Amino acid sequence: MLEVRTIRPEEIVPMVMAGKMLHARSAFRHMEYDVDRVVRIAVRALSEPNRYFLKVIAYNDTPVGVLFCYISESFFGRDLVASDFVFFVIPSMQGKCSMAVKEIVDEYQFWAANNGAKRINLGCSTEIDADRTAKLFEHLGLPQTGTLHSVEVH
């Protein structure tokens, strides 16, 4: 059974380690992945539910995906914008939990609106399945609003 729910404290480290594996395949693989830092941020997020959204997709009560987002003021003024730190589903479950993916994104949008966000962002900057992810986001009602261009600095 699939469900969307808030991550439990004991699930943070396993999800952070799954994120580390994703990081190793991503455009950011040349950058440090500080497990302790990511764990600290996730733990803090649980105590600030109006500022952070941290939910998992669980299969038979085991997390198989995570969406971790935050709200901050925009660069231009005091209006709030919601954005994601990370959104992933473990490879073995990709394509098998589309309804839960829709549900977690819907919950993110509801949370953002209820916490005053005037804009909601969801992106894919990892270069992992970017085209497929973009199509999914558009299917979920999140149109592309620009591009991201970056280069590794040596």
Side-chain angles (χ1 to χ4, degrees), residues 46-60:
L46 291 178
S47 67
E48 297 182 53
N50 294 334
R51 184 171 176 208
Y52 297 101
F53 176 95
L54 181 50
K55 293 207 174 189
V56 294
I57 297 171
Y59 177 69
N60 292 334

Side-chain angles (χ1 to χ4, degrees), residues 18-88:
K20 184 176 182 178
M21 290 190 302
L22 173 77
H23 177 82
R25 296 177 37 220
S26 78
F28 303 103
R29 61 189 165 273
H30 69 286
M31 297 173 66
E32 175 187 18
Y33 189 94
D34 185 335
V35 170
D36 292 335
R37 175 184 164 79
V38 177
V39 168
R40 279 193 311 273
I41 294 168
V43 168
R44 182 178 64 204
L46 291 178
S47 67
E48 297 182 53
N50 294 334
R51 184 171 176 208
Y52 297 101
F53 176 95
L54 181 50
K55 293 207 174 189
V56 294
I57 297 171
Y59 177 69
N60 292 334
D61 209 37
T62 300
V64 296
V66 65
L67 178 54
F68 188 7
C69 307
Y70 63 98
I71 285 185
S72 63
E73 289 182 349
S74 76
F75 173 75
F76 332 107
R78 301 210 179 270
D79 289 330
L80 299 177
V81 176
S83 302
D84 67 299
F85 288 121
V86 65
F87 184 22
F88 72 88

